[in-house]
Amino acid sequence: ALILALLFHPSLNEYSPADISWTFALYLESVAIFPQIYLLSKKGGEIENSISNFVASQGISRIMTFIFWIFTFDELNSAEETQSLAIAPAHVGYCVFVAQIVQIILMADFLYHYIKSLNSGMPMSLPTFAAVSYTHLRAHETPEHLVCRLLLEKKK
């Protein structure tokens, strides 16, 4: 995120350290929710209201910020030469746009389950993703799959 911010940052006030730090925070914020989402989905099951409300408010905030950037997109793409250290000041708006989209995509599944739980009036729960054992797979093996597996094992 820091390297991206050094290379692609707007010239909002023509003071590069402030522009780089703002852009770094934006890019970092776009992926910072990933560990929280990952741990919640790994745990699965019912999620506490305070946690689900916090994460959902972060997602809604990202959507609102995305809407803001849609309307101010052109202001970030400064075609005129400024004293910015960015390598492509005319394309900074695209980087900001992509950073917002990444975070919305990361949160989409969580927000879907959150809205679903609000509509049902039930506590929020995420599906669990349990690993399937080899024994479990063998128990559900059909004769056609058995023949394929035996042929593959014979080649080894």
Side-chain angles (χ1 to χ4, degrees):
L2 181 59
I3 293 169
L4 230 116
L6 288 169
L7 297 176
F8 299 100
H9 61 272
S11 181
L12 300 173
N13 60 5
E14 296 186 16
Y15 181 62
S16 289
D19 295 335
I20 291 169
S21 62
W22 175 83
T23 310
F24 174 62
L26 173 79
Y27 294 158
L28 185 62
E29 190 178 66
S30 294
V31 293
I33 196 69
F34 181 72
Q36 180 78 28
I37 298 290
Y38 174 75
L39 290 174
L40 289 173
S41 63
K42 185 177 175 184
K43 174 187 168 199
E46 193 171 307
I47 308 294
E48 293 178 37
N49 283 339
S50 59
I51 294 172
S52 64
N53 290 337
F54 172 75
V55 175
S57 67
Q58 291 291 309
I60 293 166
S61 169
R62 287 295 101 211
I63 291 169
M64 294 298 129
T65 303
F66 178 72
I67 292 168
F68 168 79
W69 285 118
I70 288 173
F71 294 107
T72 58
F73 177 77
D74 292 333
E75 293 177 29
L76 292 177
N77 292 330
S78 59
E80 58 194 49
E81 289 298 316
T82 60
Q83 294 186 354
S84 173
L85 298 175
I87 62 168
H91 301 292
V92 172
Y94 294 108
C95 292
V96 170
F97 211 63
V98 168
Q100 299 297 318
I101 290 172
V102 164
Q103 186 161 9
I104 290 171
I105 289 171
L106 287 174
M107 301 200 68
D109 186 56
F110 184 89
L111 289 173
Y112 166 76
H113 289 288
Y114 182 77
I115 291 168
K116 190 173 152 184
S117 74
L118 287 178
N119 287 338
S120 69
M122 301 293 294
M124 183 181 172
S125 65
L126 291 174
T128 56
F129 299 103
V132 178
S133 70
Y134 180 70
T135 308
H136 178 77
L137 291 175
R138 293 283 309 271
H140 295 284
E141 192 170 53
T142 64
E144 295 84 21
H145 293 123
L146 177 61
V147 171
C148 291
R149 185 176 55 81
L150 292 175
L151 287 173
L152 289 172
E153 286 178 359
K154 185 178 180 182
K155 287 183 180 182
K156 290 182 184 178

